[in-house]
Amino acid sequence: LTPFSASEDMRSTWQGKAGRSPLQTLYESDQFEQSSLQAIHQQRREMLSNVCSRYTRKRRLLQPDDLRHLVVDDTHGLLYCYVPKVACTNWKRVMMVLTGQGKYQDPLEIPAHEAHVPSNLRTLSEYSVPEINYRLRSYLKFVFVREPFERLVSAYRNKFTLSYNTAFHKRYGTKIIRRHRQEPSDRALERGDDVRFEEFVYYLLDPRTQQEEPFNEHWERVHSLCHPCIIHYDVVGKYETLAEDANYILQLVGADTSVKFPASSKTTRTTDDMTAQFFQDISPFYQRRLFNLYKMDYLLFNYSIPSYLRLR
């Protein structure tokens, strides 16, 4: 396959049915004239663009493999780059409603596991090169991001502390314990179900980890999953403003008003305070190294250095 060009025309804003971008239409409509949300999204795009121009020397070409996280909705002209642990189950449910030709009415009626079945949604990597370029150029593109360490702790809690995630325990837990625990028990080596957060951090920072294979998508950096310095996202949604940003996107693409983004009801959600507790036992040396690993996500999406870190 020919690589896709990251030319300026690909970075143009989505063009709607009448050849006008929804952002353009919003600027001209009375309803949104004073929209603070619109200004916020403009600032986020500018921040992203500035950081990209400062830190990326040479824009590389996209390969088909880079596009596996971009979910396509041809009905509404929408591309969504999903990031695990950033409301991606609910966004996949919404995308199934948008692309389902009436098969699904309510996102919450779709079981969570069904939202992650690959055949239920098409990704951009499945299209031909001309089709890919057309969609990158003309569809509305969006991504949702989250405070990087909060997302990381959320991934750790979900994949390593819940008893039902045996596939992760076997696949990653056993390796982490074998490499990063002194004198592990036979049970731990076999089951891999009691990985400590500190051991998980050592695993992420171990040079062998990324030499052997790419990071799992649950702890891979957003900039590596969604390539925001190559693909120009029209909307950068944030987990912290999930409901407003989700409604804004559905409004932009003219989704049926009956399609609602599910309200978050989780009481087990990973918070900043909870994240701080996990970092208490990580030495300043490893805190610094881990921050450097996720630094681009902090910069690109304008997250400040967490106050609980001891980086000096």
Side-chain angles (χ1 to χ4, degrees):
L1 269 174
T2 319
F4 318 105
S5 128
S7 61
E8 280 311 306
D9 64 343
M10 191 187 101
R11 296 172 62 81
S12 64
T13 306
W14 182 70
Q15 298 297 309
K17 290 186 181 73
R20 305 157 65 74
S21 79
L23 297 174
Q24 226 174 324
T25 312
L26 277 184
Y27 281 120
E28 292 163 12
S29 81
D30 294 337
Q31 189 186 354
F32 287 92
E33 206 158 39
Q34 304 303 322
S35 168
S36 58
L37 205 51
Q38 195 181 310
I40 287 166
H41 285 286
Q42 176 68 28
Q43 284 170 353
R44 287 179 190 171
R45 286 194 301 275
E46 285 172 2
M47 165 65 80
L48 190 54
S49 176
N50 290 341
V51 174
C52 286
S53 58
R54 199 180 322 151
Y55 287 92
T56 50
R57 293 280 169 270
K58 189 182 173 194
R59 292 248 297 280
R60 69 177 184 80
L61 295 176
L62 286 166
Q63 305 296 330
D65 211 39
D66 296 326
L67 307 173
R68 287 180 299 112
H69 274 250
L70 282 154
V71 176
V72 182
D73 171 6
D74 283 323
T75 311
H76 298 89
L78 200 53
L79 291 177
Y80 159 53
C81 188
Y82 71 89
V83 178
K85 308 313 298 174
V86 193
C88 88
T89 303
N90 278 343
W91 261 118
K92 284 182 176 181
R93 285 168 161 153
V94 169
M95 294 294 278
M96 283 172 73
V97 172
L98 292 175
T99 59
Q101 278 87 44
K103 186 179 171 186
Y104 309 99
Q105 307 296 324
D106 178 1
L108 286 178
E109 284 175 4
I110 302 168
H113 67 87
E114 208 177 306
H116 297 291
V117 173
S119 58
N120 283 335
L121 289 164
R122 288 192 77 183
T123 66
L124 198 55
S125 57
E126 297 168 44
Y127 290 76
S128 70
V129 171
E131 289 172 330
I132 287 167
N133 279 325
Y134 169 74
R135 282 159 180 76
L136 282 171
R137 215 172 20 246
S138 52
Y139 282 15
L140 184 132
K141 300 169 286 295
F142 74 98
V143 60
F144 268 76
V145 300
R146 184 178 185 178
E147 202 286 328
F149 281 174
E150 196 178 286
R151 176 178 166 244
L152 187 67
V153 167
S154 177
Y156 165 77
R157 289 178 68 216
N158 181 262
K159 299 305 171 194
F160 295 108
T161 71
L162 300 178
S163 57
Y164 62 77
N165 267 324
T166 50
F168 267 80
H169 303 157
K170 284 277 188 196
R171 171 89 172 73
Y172 296 100
T174 52
K175 180 190 278 191
I176 292 170
I177 288 166
R178 189 171 70 249
R179 285 193 174 168
H180 301 291
R181 184 177 298 179
Q182 291 184 337
E183 298 176 18
S185 69
D186 291 342
R187 183 193 172 281
L189 285 170
E190 188 196 340
R191 297 178 66 157
D193 62 355
D194 65 343
V195 171
R196 297 190 282 269
F197 184 65
E198 191 176 19
E199 294 166 338
F200 178 52
V201 170
Y202 296 155
Y203 164 77
L204 294 172
L205 295 172
D206 185 340
R208 291 172 292 184
T209 300
Q210 286 193 80
Q211 284 165 10
E212 289 169 357
E213 60 181 343
F215 274 168
N216 178 276
E217 61 178 16
H218 289 84
W219 46 86
E220 180 59 280
R221 285 71 51 99
V222 178
H223 74 90
S224 298
L225 290 175
C226 294
H227 313 286
C229 290
I230 311 174
I231 296 168
H232 174 70
Y233 288 96
D234 301 292
V235 180
V236 176
K238 292 203 167 186
Y239 193 72
E240 297 78 14
T241 51
L242 179 59
E244 305 96 288
D245 293 345
N247 292 335
Y248 179 68
I249 289 161
L250 292 172
Q251 219 168 9
L252 277 179
V253 295
D256 193 295
T257 50
S258 64
V259 181
K260 297 275 186 265
F261 190 85
S264 178
S265 58
K266 276 204 169 177
T267 49
T268 55
R269 180 173 105 66
T270 303
T271 61
D272 185 60
D273 288 346
M274 201 183 285
T275 305
Q277 288 173 3
F278 277 89
F279 275 84
Q280 275 180 347
D281 298 330
I282 307 298
S283 72
F285 174 75
Y286 284 107
Q287 285 186 9
R288 161 71 69 186
R289 288 186 59 201
L290 195 67
F291 178 76
N292 286 338
L293 188 63
Y294 288 88
K295 187 177 178 179
M296 273 308 286
D297 280 1
Y298 274 98
L299 292 168
L300 288 166
F301 307 116
N302 200 22
Y303 285 106
S304 50
I305 298 173
S307 57
Y308 55 77
L309 290 186
R310 309 183 302 282
L311 297 183
R312 282 182 183 80

